[in-house]
Amino acid sequence: MEKLLDLISQEMGRAFAAAGYDESLGRVSVSNRPDLCEYQCNGAMAGAKKYHKAPLVIAGEVAGALTGEDGVPGEESVFSSVEAIAPGFLNLKIKESFLADYLAQMSAQEKLGLALPEKPKTIVLDYGGPNVAKPLHVGHLRSAVIGEAIKRIARYNGETVISDIHLGDWGLQMGLIITELQKRQPDLPYFDPSYEGEYPQEAPFTVSELEEIYPYASKKSKEDEAYYAEAMDNTHRLQEGERGLRALWKQIVTVSVADMKKNYANLDVDFDLWLGESDAHDAIPPMVERMKSEGYAYESNGALVVDVCDPADAKEIPPCIILKSDGASLYTTTDLATIAQRTEKYHPDEIIYVTDKRQELHFVQVFRCAKKCGLVGEETQLKHIGFGTMNGRDGKPFKTREGGVMRLERLIADIDEEMLGKIRSNEEIPAEEAEKTAKQVALAALKYGDLSNQASKDYVFDMERFTSFEGDTGPYILYTIVRIRSILSKYEAQKKENAAADSTEAKDNGRKPEALADETGEGTSGRASGALQIQPAKSPLEKALMAQIAQFNAVMKSAHEETAPHKLCAYIYDLSNAFNSFYHATKILSEEDQTTKAGWIALLTLTEQVLTTTIQTLGFDSPARM
Ligand code: ARG
């Protein structure tokens, strides 16, 4: 379905053309003076220079082309009023019937009126990026939450998305853990090079042990040179493929990933691929060979590097280090080899990475190097979505009360508990349901609190504000949805009662939506079936709500094109406000006129569909009640 603004702009464009001006001047936008009009067109001002005419004269002629002698737009026009205002604005209002028809048509479409691409893109989305054997902390939260939303938004927009967690499972941290395990349990068969038997099925550690071992070993390696050298050696031997170390590594990964899966499931985040840096290992040697033989990589101070600077750079971009002087690969190397693998396997149109914005330079280097060395075609877009830091109320990176790094599990438990306190105050909800509901609302609070900020910005994690049922919060949106559903189910109950009392009264007497040519040019065929019986608005608040709903396809599309989930948050906040204003001013269930009432119910049904669809693409869902 075409966007509402496009439809309105087309009519305006035809009016400009009819008055002898360029059609493209007819672009209409939402009014920035809602007290004066609903929409506006500034084309007359833009055209003044070209046509050497006063903008107000042009605006007057265009308005004349749209209205009859009486100054009122004709029967077939989408406008109910068109006014030329000094210095040359066109102030516009649209017809209630046109808006109602647009909404009815939208309600009958599978994607609520969102037009899907003719040729979907293939997108590889790299997010999450946790490191094996290190506990997930709040820093990983943003990547998971933002990445999941980007994925779902792209899929709703019809694209093919392959999500990959890209585990950090190959670096020095693995060598450190292996080294410390060897100190503690030297008799394990993994460390005996002459051992030829099967290794034990059961891992010789638990996930909590792993999480204790890593920081211990990391600290020790910084104080003890020999320990560090041993960890480096173990990392090297692991990467070279020593059988025992590979077997032990496999168990570390298995135990750690099982725990991660639980954590991500709690966040309602999932990945198609659970690949990691280690999976790029075999692709490194052929890639390095190619870089060398094609003359891109050269030796510098013993290391192998590729230049990626550009004379136009304001700040110098250092060369990409492919191999260190000891031949070891780096984070950059695995990322490059992973690009080569993804290109070969999926031929993606885009690869998107969601990480902390402090990794920006890394991605500039990797992207330039990948393009320069032909690991990926020119036509493939490589994008880095860098996010800001989640801060505490003191404006510093979020910490535990004791000042340590906050584990993700702990953060989630805290917000769940806060929410449970609020849900329990509703005595109608039994204990078990309250717990489930609290988790669901808490997740919405957490995700919405994050996603409602532009990703690149830092934000403050404010438990009190995020969990509030009022204001720009996840719980407020859920509360609105729950309120709508409650009205809808009361209406259904009323209908049943009435049907029992008098079967004729409950008959659906809503009017059929009028024809509205769709973009296929086939008129109304194929849409009337599922369309809701939306009625033209009877009040400004109702019209404002309808105008908000009509924006859905435009916002959903731009949130995708700009990888900007925060636009959807802003949209559902405005929509919820528009609904609540309408709701407070309207006695829906006690309305006597059955046609009017059914029209409102249809409007509520559509509002609920739009809100629910949007929160699901953002990555959370609503409870039955709260
Ligand atoms: N494991 C990395 C980290 O903790 C994030 C990985 C992001 N993805 C990537 N392809 N580099 O910083």
Side-chain angles (χ1 to χ4, degrees):
M1 227 172 122
E2 285 193 75
K3 295 174 196 159
L4 187 81
L5 276 179
D6 289 349
L7 289 176
I8 306 176
S9 298
Q10 282 158 20
E11 184 172 326
M12 188 49 84
R14 286 192 293 272
F16 270 86
Y21 301 103
D22 197 80
E23 191 169 338
S24 68
L25 293 170
R27 191 70 219 158
V28 173
S29 55
V30 173
S31 165
N32 52 23
R33 286 291 304 273
D35 51 326
L36 297 180
C37 58
E38 296 159 358
Y39 300 91
Q40 66 186 61
C41 172
N42 304 347
M45 323 258 265
K49 220 179 184 169
K50 181 173 168 192
Y51 294 102
H52 305 289
K53 263 194 199 172
L56 191 57
V57 173
I58 301 179
E61 288 169 14
V62 173
L66 282 164
T67 58
E69 301 272 280
D70 53 357
V72 179
E75 186 75 17
E76 36 344 290
S77 174
V78 302
F79 299 111
S80 60
S81 113
V82 177
E83 287 176 314
I85 299 289
F89 293 115
L90 281 154
N91 282 0
L92 310 165
K93 286 188 180 153
I94 62 170
K95 281 193 183 131
E96 281 74 5
S97 57
F98 166 71
L99 192 53
D101 289 341
Y102 188 85
L103 261 51
Q105 198 179 335
M106 172 180 168
S107 74
Q109 296 211 350
E110 201 191 327
K111 297 269 178 163
L112 296 170
L114 177 70
L116 297 182
E118 257 164 52
K119 196 177 160 291
K121 283 195 263 191
T122 299
I123 302 171
V124 173
L125 184 60
D126 179 318
Y127 67 104
N131 298 313
V132 163
K134 295 193 203 169
L136 291 174
H137 56 78
V138 297
H140 295 107
L141 179 70
R142 294 213 74 190
S143 182
V145 169
I146 297 167
E148 182 71 18
I150 291 174
K151 176 182 79 180
R152 294 185 187 202
I153 293 168
R155 285 190 179 154
Y156 192 85
N157 274 271
E159 318 286 18
T160 304
V161 187
I162 301 143
S163 59
D164 183 358
I165 190 165
H166 201 76
L167 294 168
D169 61 356
W170 208 227
L172 177 63
Q173 92 254 27
M174 305 311 305
L176 285 165
I177 293 166
I178 291 171
T179 302
E180 185 55 29
L181 281 169
Q182 188 168 16
K183 303 270 179 231
R184 296 186 188 187
Q185 306 179 60
D187 297 333
L188 288 174
Y190 308 95
F191 306 117
D192 175 5
S194 63
Y195 183 78
E196 280 178 1
E198 292 281 316
Y199 293 105
Q201 293 279 323
E202 188 94 353
F205 43 75
T206 63
V207 69
S208 355
E209 280 166 321
L210 277 185
E211 290 179 351
E212 174 264 318
I213 286 175
Y214 173 73
Y216 177 86
S218 169
K219 184 156 176 270
K220 185 144 185 181
S221 72
K222 287 179 189 126
E223 295 155 357
D224 182 340
E225 239 169 80
Y227 190 94
Y228 177 76
E230 245 177 277
M232 287 292 281
D233 182 52
N234 275 326
T235 310
H236 191 71
R237 277 165 40 220
L238 164 72
Q239 296 187 346
E240 289 298 294
E242 191 176 307
R243 191 173 159 263
L245 298 193
R246 282 281 175 112
L248 184 59
W249 168 83
K250 187 114 211 135
Q251 288 191 318
I252 301 172
V253 172
T254 306
V255 167
S256 179
V257 164
D259 186 61
M260 283 176 190
K261 286 196 169 165
K262 262 191 280 165
N263 273 289
Y264 284 109
N266 281 337
L267 286 173
D268 206 355
V269 167
D270 69 72
F271 302 92
D272 302 313
L273 305 175
W274 282 77
L275 297 176
E277 294 171 4
S278 64
D279 293 286
H281 184 70
D282 294 342
I284 293 174
M287 175 184 80
V288 168
E289 266 329 295
R290 190 170 145 190
M291 287 174 165
K292 278 198 210 159
S293 68
E294 293 178 9
Y296 297 118
Y298 66 93
E299 247 185 66
S300 167
N301 297 327
L304 189 71
V305 306
V306 172
D307 283 330
V308 291
C309 61
D310 183 324
D313 291 336
K315 229 168 84 192
E316 195 177 313
I317 305 289
C320 224
I321 304 177
I322 309 296
L323 296 177
K324 291 200 290 186
S325 50
D326 62 359
S329 57
L330 296 116
Y331 184 46
T332 306
T333 325
T334 48
D335 260 334
L336 285 165
T338 304
I339 291 181
Q341 289 178 320
R342 287 172 175 165
T343 301
E344 198 176 313
K345 187 139 193 212
Y346 302 108
H347 309 288
D349 299 290
E350 270 178 43
I351 308 179
I352 303 177
Y353 299 79
V354 186
T355 79
D356 190 306
K357 70 180 173 198
R358 285 170 292 189
Q359 294 197 25
E360 189 178 328
L361 178 61
H362 164 77
F363 284 106
V364 169
Q365 291 177 301
V366 166
F367 294 172
R368 285 189 184 181
C369 185
K371 288 259 154 126
K372 180 173 180 176
C373 302
L375 303 180
V376 64
E378 264 320 309
E379 64 294 345
T380 301
Q381 276 201 53
L382 301 173
K383 277 194 204 161
H384 175 225
I385 307 292
F387 52 78
T389 308
M390 178 173 132
N391 290 323
R393 278 166 109 166
D394 58 359
K396 297 200 192 109
F398 197 81
K399 291 266 155 67
T400 58
R401 220 170 280 162
E402 299 75 38
V405 175
M406 176 74 113
R407 291 179 63 144
L408 190 54
E409 275 171 313
R410 163 87 186 275
L411 179 81
I412 294 174
D414 284 357
I415 196 163
D416 282 356
E417 194 187 300
E418 176 83 13
M419 217 59 242
L420 186 58
K422 296 197 180 191
I423 301 289
R424 274 215 186 110
S425 62
N426 180 345
E427 282 158 14
E428 275 170 33
I429 302 181
E432 210 174 297
E433 184 186 331
E435 234 164 85
K436 205 177 140 240
T437 300
K439 278 196 168 45
Q440 205 165 25
V441 183
L443 188 63
L446 192 69
K447 288 192 167 188
Y448 189 94
D450 187 311
L451 293 170
S452 54
N453 304 284
Q454 202 177 320
S456 61
K457 300 221 166 99
D458 295 349
Y459 75 98
V460 172
F461 178 84
D462 183 337
M463 177 87 90
E464 214 168 286
R465 189 168 79 73
F466 286 11
T467 58
S468 168
F469 283 28
E470 277 154 45
D472 190 7
T473 70
Y476 169 66
I477 307 289
L478 298 194
Y479 195 78
T480 304
I481 295 175
V482 167
R483 169 178 277 165
I484 298 174
R485 290 213 195 108
S486 145
I487 303 168
L488 293 177
S489 61
K490 279 187 193 141
Y491 176 74
E492 284 307 314
Q494 268 187 357
K495 241 171 65 171
K496 264 196 207 124
E497 258 172 50
N498 291 351
D502 175 1
S503 64
T504 55
E505 243 192 44
K507 252 202 192 149
D508 186 359
N509 47 7
R511 89 192 210 317
K512 248 189 139 104
E514 279 163 30
L516 207 164
D518 66 18
E519 69 262 47
T520 62
E522 289 166 0
T524 57
S525 65
R527 75 158 170 90
S529 54
L532 290 167
Q533 310 285 298
I534 308 271
Q535 303 292 325
K538 291 194 172 57
S539 70
L541 287 177
E542 186 179 3
K543 192 173 183 187
L545 169 60
M546 291 170 79
Q548 276 298 330
I549 295 175
Q551 299 237 19
F552 172 76
N553 55 5
V555 179
M556 185 55 91
K557 195 158 181 82
S558 70
H560 170 51
E561 286 173 347
E562 297 162 37
T563 40
H566 71 278
K567 293 204 158 180
L568 283 177
C569 293
Y571 172 65
I572 50 175
Y573 180 52
D574 288 345
L575 177 57
S576 296
N577 284 337
F579 167 75
N580 285 310
S581 302
F582 165 71
Y583 165 79
H584 287 302
T586 316
K587 293 205 165 51
I588 298 170
L589 290 171
S590 54
E591 172 61 38
E592 295 284 321
D593 184 297
Q594 291 307 312
T595 307
T596 302
K597 186 166 167 179
W600 283 340
I601 291 299
L603 184 58
L604 262 60
T605 305
L606 186 56
T607 308
E608 192 272 343
Q609 282 172 8
V610 169
L611 287 172
T612 298
T613 301
T614 308
I615 62 167
Q616 285 169 350
T617 58
L618 286 169
F620 53 93
D621 220 329
S622 57
R625 54 183 170 172
M626 59 191 270

